[in-house]
Amino acid sequence: MCETGHCFDCAREGYVNLLPASHKRSKDPGDNREMIDARHRVHQARLYHPLAEKIGIIMKALIGQNALVLDLGCGEGYYSSVLHQVAGKLRVHGVDVSKPAIRIAARSCPNAHFAVASSFDVPLASRSVDAAFSVFAPTGAAELARLVRPGGYFLDVSPAPSHLWELRELLYDNPRAHEQVVRELPSFEQASSEAVEFILELTAEQLRDLVAMTPYAYGGQRENKGQLARLDALELQVAFSLYLYRRLPS
């Protein structure tokens, strides 16, 4: 029970639902079940493990044991789970608007705490977070400034220009590189930036899952998507930009 008398039940899987109905933009906000299941299979196959491991290494170097780390837009909790494995004893919390994703997260990473909630309205106290991170997830500058303590950190992971380039070449006649955007975050200073790049050798099934978990599931010319569906394998470059921000004293 909170200080205003509201009660929130813990689901059987171990998460809580703190997303008010008035804050939902649809009946089932967030990614659809097909996208969630596809992404879960990709993560279970450890295809993005080098990125998850890098996030854990960065966090381990920044903060001490028992620090509170917030995974914004955590999805199925994959990065939270690897963070526990790499960085040791941290208090990891994750939020996402998708209830099906949070259910998987709570089962997959029982050492963390997960809630159905918006990254723009996180049910945590002000200045309670030692470090936050997001992987391809939208976040609000004002909410980050409220949550992260002075001297704390925020790690923003976004697609680099060449991310999934071979896939885009197959789907589009005139593919474009991802636009590289460095965010301006009031109350933060950029501390560092680095890239993580590696090659995936995908089976046909893994390729279908990777497409299904991305916006490319709905894009591309029809004839090109037919050609993609007939592939037995694909070598694919993945590339990420990691921008680290430090919360300024206030």
Short mmCIF file of all heavy atoms in Angstrom, two decimals, residues 176-211:
data_model
loop_
_atom_site.label_atom_id
_atom_site.label_comp_id
_atom_site.label_asym_id
_atom_site.label_seq_id
_atom_site.Cartn_x
_atom_site.Cartn_y
_atom_site.Cartn_z
N ARG A 176 18.42 3.64 -46.66
CA ARG A 176 19.07 4.77 -46.01
C ARG A 176 19.70 4.33 -44.69
O ARG A 176 19.18 3.47 -44.00
CB ARG A 176 18.05 5.88 -45.73
CG ARG A 176 17.42 6.50 -46.98
CD ARG A 176 16.44 7.59 -46.58
NE ARG A 176 15.81 8.20 -47.74
CZ ARG A 176 14.91 9.17 -47.67
NH1 ARG A 176 14.53 9.64 -46.47
NH2 ARG A 176 14.38 9.68 -48.77
N ALA A 177 20.81 4.96 -44.40
CA ALA A 177 21.46 4.69 -43.12
C ALA A 177 20.63 5.28 -41.98
O ALA A 177 19.90 6.26 -42.17
CB ALA A 177 22.87 5.27 -43.11
N HIS A 178 20.74 4.67 -40.81
CA HIS A 178 20.08 5.25 -39.64
C HIS A 178 20.66 6.62 -39.36
O HIS A 178 21.87 6.84 -39.42
CB HIS A 178 20.31 4.37 -38.41
CG HIS A 178 19.42 3.17 -38.35
ND1 HIS A 178 18.08 3.24 -38.07
CD2 HIS A 178 19.70 1.85 -38.54
CE1 HIS A 178 17.56 2.02 -38.09
NE2 HIS A 178 18.51 1.17 -38.37
N GLU A 179 19.80 7.55 -39.04
CA GLU A 179 20.26 8.88 -38.66
C GLU A 179 20.86 8.82 -37.26
O GLU A 179 20.27 8.28 -36.33
CB GLU A 179 19.10 9.87 -38.68
CG GLU A 179 19.52 11.30 -38.34
CD GLU A 179 18.35 12.25 -38.36
OE1 GLU A 179 17.21 11.81 -38.63
OE2 GLU A 179 18.55 13.45 -38.09
N GLN A 180 22.06 9.35 -37.12
CA GLN A 180 22.73 9.35 -35.83
C GLN A 180 22.34 10.60 -35.05
O GLN A 180 22.63 11.72 -35.46
CB GLN A 180 24.25 9.33 -36.00
CG GLN A 180 25.00 8.95 -34.74
CD GLN A 180 24.77 7.50 -34.35
OE1 GLN A 180 25.30 6.58 -34.93
NE2 GLN A 180 23.95 7.28 -33.34
N VAL A 181 21.65 10.40 -33.94
CA VAL A 181 21.15 11.53 -33.15
C VAL A 181 21.78 11.47 -31.76
O VAL A 181 21.65 10.48 -31.03
CB VAL A 181 19.61 11.48 -33.02
CG1 VAL A 181 19.12 12.62 -32.14
CG2 VAL A 181 18.96 11.53 -34.40
N VAL A 182 22.50 12.55 -31.41
CA VAL A 182 23.04 12.68 -30.07
C VAL A 182 22.07 13.54 -29.27
O VAL A 182 21.82 14.70 -29.62
CB VAL A 182 24.44 13.33 -30.09
CG1 VAL A 182 24.98 13.45 -28.67
CG2 VAL A 182 25.38 12.51 -30.95
N ARG A 183 21.50 12.99 -28.23
CA ARG A 183 20.45 13.68 -27.49
C ARG A 183 21.01 14.81 -26.64
O ARG A 183 22.11 14.72 -26.09
CB ARG A 183 19.71 12.69 -26.60
CG ARG A 183 18.98 11.61 -27.35
CD ARG A 183 18.24 10.70 -26.40
NE ARG A 183 17.25 11.42 -25.60
CZ ARG A 183 16.51 10.85 -24.66
NH1 ARG A 183 16.65 9.55 -24.40
NH2 ARG A 183 15.64 11.54 -23.98
N GLU A 184 20.23 15.85 -26.56
CA GLU A 184 20.52 16.96 -25.64
C GLU A 184 19.66 16.74 -24.40
O GLU A 184 18.43 16.80 -24.47
CB GLU A 184 20.20 18.30 -26.29
CG GLU A 184 21.09 18.65 -27.48
CD GLU A 184 22.54 18.94 -27.07
OE1 GLU A 184 22.74 19.32 -25.90
OE2 GLU A 184 23.43 18.77 -27.91
N LEU A 185 20.30 16.46 -23.29
CA LEU A 185 19.58 16.18 -22.05
C LEU A 185 19.89 17.26 -21.02
O LEU A 185 21.00 17.26 -20.44
CB LEU A 185 19.97 14.81 -21.51
CG LEU A 185 19.57 13.59 -22.34
CD1 LEU A 185 20.09 12.32 -21.70
CD2 LEU A 185 18.06 13.52 -22.50
N PRO A 186 18.97 18.17 -20.77
CA PRO A 186 19.18 19.15 -19.70
C PRO A 186 19.43 18.43 -18.38
O PRO A 186 18.85 17.37 -18.11
CB PRO A 186 17.86 19.93 -19.68
CG PRO A 186 17.27 19.74 -21.05
CD PRO A 186 17.68 18.36 -21.46
N SER A 187 20.31 18.97 -17.58
CA SER A 187 20.70 18.42 -16.28
C SER A 187 21.72 17.29 -16.40
O SER A 187 22.15 16.72 -15.40
CB SER A 187 19.50 17.91 -15.47
OG SER A 187 18.55 18.94 -15.27
N PHE A 188 22.13 16.95 -17.64
CA PHE A 188 23.13 15.93 -17.86
C PHE A 188 24.26 16.49 -18.72
O PHE A 188 24.06 17.41 -19.51
CB PHE A 188 22.54 14.71 -18.57
CG PHE A 188 21.65 13.85 -17.73
CD1 PHE A 188 20.31 14.20 -17.54
CD2 PHE A 188 22.13 12.70 -17.12
CE1 PHE A 188 19.47 13.40 -16.77
CE2 PHE A 188 21.30 11.91 -16.35
CZ PHE A 188 19.97 12.25 -16.17
N GLU A 189 25.44 15.89 -18.59
CA GLU A 189 26.55 16.16 -19.51
C GLU A 189 26.97 14.83 -20.13
O GLU A 189 26.90 13.78 -19.49
CB GLU A 189 27.73 16.78 -18.78
CG GLU A 189 28.36 15.90 -17.70
CD GLU A 189 29.54 16.56 -17.02
OE1 GLU A 189 29.90 17.68 -17.41
OE2 GLU A 189 30.12 15.92 -16.09
N GLN A 190 27.37 14.88 -21.41
CA GLN A 190 27.81 13.65 -22.06
C GLN A 190 29.19 13.28 -21.53
O GLN A 190 30.14 14.06 -21.58
CB GLN A 190 27.86 13.82 -23.57
CG GLN A 190 28.17 12.51 -24.29
CD GLN A 190 28.11 12.64 -25.80
OE1 GLN A 190 27.36 13.44 -26.33
NE2 GLN A 190 28.90 11.84 -26.50
N ALA A 191 29.30 12.05 -21.02
CA ALA A 191 30.55 11.60 -20.42
C ALA A 191 31.41 10.82 -21.40
O ALA A 191 32.65 10.91 -21.35
CB ALA A 191 30.25 10.73 -19.19
N SER A 192 30.79 10.07 -22.29
CA SER A 192 31.56 9.28 -23.26
C SER A 192 30.62 8.74 -24.32
O SER A 192 29.39 8.80 -24.19
CB SER A 192 32.29 8.11 -22.57
OG SER A 192 31.36 7.18 -22.05
N SER A 193 31.22 8.21 -25.38
CA SER A 193 30.45 7.51 -26.40
C SER A 193 31.32 6.43 -27.01
O SER A 193 32.54 6.57 -27.08
CB SER A 193 29.97 8.48 -27.49
OG SER A 193 31.08 9.03 -28.19
N GLU A 194 30.70 5.36 -27.41
CA GLU A 194 31.44 4.28 -28.07
C GLU A 194 30.49 3.46 -28.92
O GLU A 194 29.26 3.60 -28.83
CB GLU A 194 32.16 3.40 -27.06
CG GLU A 194 31.31 2.80 -25.96
CD GLU A 194 32.18 2.05 -24.96
OE1 GLU A 194 32.86 1.08 -25.37
OE2 GLU A 194 32.18 2.44 -23.77
N ALA A 195 31.08 2.61 -29.75
CA ALA A 195 30.30 1.78 -30.66
C ALA A 195 30.50 0.31 -30.33
O ALA A 195 31.56 -0.10 -29.86
CB ALA A 195 30.71 2.06 -32.10
N VAL A 196 29.45 -0.46 -30.58
CA VAL A 196 29.52 -1.92 -30.49
C VAL A 196 29.04 -2.46 -31.83
O VAL A 196 27.93 -2.17 -32.25
CB VAL A 196 28.64 -2.47 -29.34
CG1 VAL A 196 28.61 -3.98 -29.37
CG2 VAL A 196 29.15 -1.98 -28.00
N GLU A 197 29.90 -3.22 -32.49
CA GLU A 197 29.57 -3.78 -33.79
C GLU A 197 30.01 -5.24 -33.85
O GLU A 197 31.07 -5.59 -33.33
CB GLU A 197 30.25 -3.00 -34.92
CG GLU A 197 29.86 -1.54 -35.00
CD GLU A 197 30.51 -0.83 -36.17
OE1 GLU A 197 31.15 -1.53 -37.00
OE2 GLU A 197 30.38 0.40 -36.29
N PHE A 198 29.19 -6.07 -34.48
CA PHE A 198 29.57 -7.45 -34.71
C PHE A 198 28.71 -8.03 -35.83
O PHE A 198 27.75 -7.39 -36.28
CB PHE A 198 29.45 -8.29 -33.42
CG PHE A 198 28.14 -8.17 -32.68
CD1 PHE A 198 27.12 -9.08 -32.89
CD2 PHE A 198 27.94 -7.13 -31.77
CE1 PHE A 198 25.93 -8.97 -32.19
CE2 PHE A 198 26.75 -7.01 -31.07
CZ PHE A 198 25.74 -7.94 -31.29
N ILE A 199 29.08 -9.22 -36.29
CA ILE A 199 28.40 -9.86 -37.40
C ILE A 199 27.57 -11.03 -36.89
O ILE A 199 28.04 -11.84 -36.08
CB ILE A 199 29.41 -10.37 -38.46
CG1 ILE A 199 30.23 -9.19 -39.02
CG2 ILE A 199 28.69 -11.09 -39.60
CD1 ILE A 199 29.41 -8.17 -39.77
N LEU A 200 26.34 -11.12 -37.37
CA LEU A 200 25.47 -12.24 -37.07
C LEU A 200 25.38 -13.16 -38.28
O LEU A 200 25.22 -12.69 -39.41
CB LEU A 200 24.06 -11.76 -36.71
CG LEU A 200 23.89 -10.91 -35.46
CD1 LEU A 200 22.43 -10.47 -35.33
CD2 LEU A 200 24.35 -11.65 -34.22
N GLU A 201 25.49 -14.45 -38.05
CA GLU A 201 25.26 -15.44 -39.09
C GLU A 201 23.94 -16.13 -38.77
O GLU A 201 23.86 -17.00 -37.91
CB GLU A 201 26.42 -16.44 -39.15
CG GLU A 201 27.73 -15.79 -39.55
CD GLU A 201 28.88 -16.78 -39.66
OE1 GLU A 201 28.65 -17.98 -39.40
OE2 GLU A 201 29.99 -16.35 -40.01
N LEU A 202 22.90 -15.69 -39.46
CA LEU A 202 21.54 -16.08 -39.11
C LEU A 202 21.04 -17.25 -39.95
O LEU A 202 21.27 -17.31 -41.15
CB LEU A 202 20.59 -14.89 -39.32
CG LEU A 202 20.90 -13.61 -38.54
CD1 LEU A 202 19.95 -12.51 -38.98
CD2 LEU A 202 20.80 -13.84 -37.05
N THR A 203 20.33 -18.15 -39.29
CA THR A 203 19.57 -19.17 -40.01
C THR A 203 18.30 -18.52 -40.55
O THR A 203 17.95 -17.38 -40.20
CB THR A 203 19.20 -20.33 -39.09
OG1 THR A 203 18.29 -19.83 -38.07
CG2 THR A 203 20.43 -20.92 -38.40
N ALA A 204 17.58 -19.24 -41.39
CA ALA A 204 16.33 -18.71 -41.94
C ALA A 204 15.34 -18.39 -40.84
O ALA A 204 14.66 -17.34 -40.86
CB ALA A 204 15.74 -19.71 -42.93
N GLU A 205 15.25 -19.26 -39.83
CA GLU A 205 14.32 -19.04 -38.73
C GLU A 205 14.72 -17.82 -37.90
O GLU A 205 13.88 -17.01 -37.52
CB GLU A 205 14.26 -20.28 -37.84
CG GLU A 205 13.24 -20.18 -36.72
CD GLU A 205 13.16 -21.44 -35.89
OE1 GLU A 205 13.90 -22.41 -36.20
OE2 GLU A 205 12.37 -21.48 -34.93
N GLN A 206 16.01 -17.67 -37.62
CA GLN A 206 16.48 -16.52 -36.86
C GLN A 206 16.27 -15.22 -37.63
O GLN A 206 15.93 -14.19 -37.04
CB GLN A 206 17.96 -16.69 -36.51
CG GLN A 206 18.21 -17.77 -35.48
CD GLN A 206 19.69 -18.08 -35.31
OE1 GLN A 206 20.51 -17.80 -36.19
NE2 GLN A 206 20.05 -18.65 -34.17
N LEU A 207 16.44 -15.28 -38.94
CA LEU A 207 16.20 -14.09 -39.76
C LEU A 207 14.74 -13.68 -39.70
O LEU A 207 14.43 -12.49 -39.57
CB LEU A 207 16.61 -14.38 -41.20
CG LEU A 207 16.36 -13.27 -42.22
CD1 LEU A 207 17.05 -11.97 -41.81
CD2 LEU A 207 16.81 -13.72 -43.62
N ARG A 208 13.83 -14.64 -39.77
CA ARG A 208 12.40 -14.32 -39.67
C ARG A 208 12.09 -13.67 -38.31
O ARG A 208 11.32 -12.71 -38.24
CB ARG A 208 11.56 -15.58 -39.86
CG ARG A 208 11.50 -16.08 -41.29
CD ARG A 208 10.40 -17.11 -41.48
NE ARG A 208 10.65 -18.32 -40.71
CZ ARG A 208 11.34 -19.36 -41.16
NH1 ARG A 208 11.84 -19.33 -42.38
NH2 ARG A 208 11.52 -20.43 -40.42
N ASP A 209 12.69 -14.20 -37.25
CA ASP A 209 12.45 -13.63 -35.92
C ASP A 209 13.02 -12.22 -35.82
O ASP A 209 12.38 -11.33 -35.24
CB ASP A 209 13.08 -14.52 -34.85
CG ASP A 209 12.22 -15.71 -34.48
OD1 ASP A 209 11.00 -15.66 -34.74
OD2 ASP A 209 12.76 -16.69 -33.95
N LEU A 210 14.20 -12.00 -36.36
CA LEU A 210 14.81 -10.68 -36.27
C LEU A 210 13.98 -9.65 -37.02
O LEU A 210 13.78 -8.52 -36.55
CB LEU A 210 16.24 -10.71 -36.81
CG LEU A 210 17.06 -9.46 -36.52
CD1 LEU A 210 18.50 -9.81 -36.16
CD2 LEU A 210 17.05 -8.51 -37.71
N VAL A 211 13.47 -10.02 -38.18
CA VAL A 211 12.60 -9.11 -38.93
C VAL A 211 11.32 -8.86 -38.15
O VAL A 211 10.85 -7.71 -38.04
CB VAL A 211 12.29 -9.68 -40.32
CG1 VAL A 211 11.21 -8.84 -41.02
CG2 VAL A 211 13.55 -9.73 -41.17
#
